[in-house]
Amino acid sequence: MAAELVTGRGTPSRAAQMERTTSESRVKVRLDLDGTGESTISTTVPFYDHMLTALAKHSLIDFTVEAEGDTHIDVHHTVEDTAIVIGEVLRAALGDKRGIRRFGHASVPLDEALAEATVDVSGRPYLVHSGEPEGQQYHLIGGHFTGSMTRHVFEAITYHSAICLHMRVHSGRDPHHIVEAQFKAFARALREAVEPDPRTNEIPSTKGAL
């Protein structure tokens, strides 16, 4: 099922929703780009819930996420499939991207960890993800979430939303902090990139389309 816009009242809506069901997971996502960061998150993966709550809070995007899957095998399917749907819904909510700032950047510390994110709502999916310390991918965080899933989440979101994301971890020791700093940096950069630009209502590209 494709993501669909949620009809607004009076003004164009930048809200969308989608439900996706496979043999491995069932995911339902609704988001509103013009929200206040409110969220209701339930993926059955507690640490992932924590990260998506932070994503909503710091991006000021309202999120409702309901997901369940074959976590008795591994959380991989549920985590990645949720990120796929988030990407699809984000792309639908952005529409033709008219009047947005397009670019966003943020550098966010969390104690000893520091992550830097740069977003381009380009219409061309691309991820550059670097700087995590060796071994981070093997850490099991919160008893469920493997460190390697962080990159998988960003890969799925960028590909399915058709945005470009450069994510760089500059420092970090605690695996939890390293992941959370990245989600918060992405949230702040995304917030800046998708917010309306008060100086223009044009599509921010010399091509005339994104």
Side-chain angles (χ1 to χ4, degrees):
M1 177 181 177
E4 59 182 17
L5 288 172
V6 177
T7 304
R9 295 182 178 180
T11 58
S13 173
R14 295 207 303 162
Q17 62 188 14
M18 178 182 175
E19 186 169 355
R20 179 179 186 264
T21 301
T22 72
S23 62
E24 298 171 338
S25 69
R26 182 189 64 80
V27 180
K28 184 176 182 179
V29 172
R30 186 190 188 281
L31 64 79
D32 185 350
L33 296 180
D34 299 310
T36 59
E38 295 296 316
S39 64
T40 302
I41 311 290
S42 177
T43 68
T44 73
V45 183
F47 182 73
Y48 195 32
D49 289 355
H50 180 43
M51 294 301 98
L52 294 181
T53 300
L55 175 60
K57 183 70 173 181
H58 294 285
S59 66
L60 294 184
I61 297 173
D62 289 348
F63 272 94
T64 300
V65 179
E66 300 173 14
E68 59 183 17
D70 55 0
T71 53
H72 60 287
I73 297 173
D74 191 353
V75 303
H76 186 118
H77 297 146
T78 301
V79 170
E80 187 171 24
D81 289 355
T82 299
I84 287 170
V85 179
I86 289 172
E88 292 285 349
V89 175
L90 177 58
R91 185 173 188 172
L94 283 165
D96 65 3
K97 302 145 182 124
R98 185 178 300 276
I100 65 169
R101 294 188 183 275
R102 176 177 169 177
F103 303 102
H105 177 266
S107 184
V108 171
L110 180 54
D111 297 346
E112 86 296 345
L114 177 64
E116 181 181 14
T118 304
V119 168
D120 177 9
V121 184
S122 60
R124 299 183 307 278
Y126 205 93
L127 173 68
V128 177
H129 184 266
S130 61
E132 287 188 341
E134 183 57 37
Q136 171 70 13
Q137 67 270 35
Y138 304 121
H139 281 285
L140 191 62
I141 305 167
H144 299 86
F145 188 95
T146 307
S148 62
M149 290 307 304
T150 308
R151 181 185 176 95
H152 281 306
V153 169
F154 292 133
E155 283 174 335
I157 292 176
T158 55
Y159 181 81
H160 288 274
S161 62
I163 67 174
C164 173
L165 169 63
H166 284 246
M167 178 68 71
R168 172 72 178 174
V169 177
H170 288 285
S171 63
R173 175 175 47 83
D174 183 275
H176 182 141
H177 291 174
I178 290 167
V179 178
E180 187 168 343
Q182 291 179 73
F183 272 86
K184 288 179 176 177
F186 175 55
R188 295 292 297 195
L190 184 63
R191 170 181 169 179
E192 182 177 330
V194 305
E195 70 181 4
D197 187 335
R199 298 181 61 185
T200 181
N201 193 40
E202 300 297 318
I203 295 172
S205 172
T206 55
K207 298 181 179 70
L210 286 171

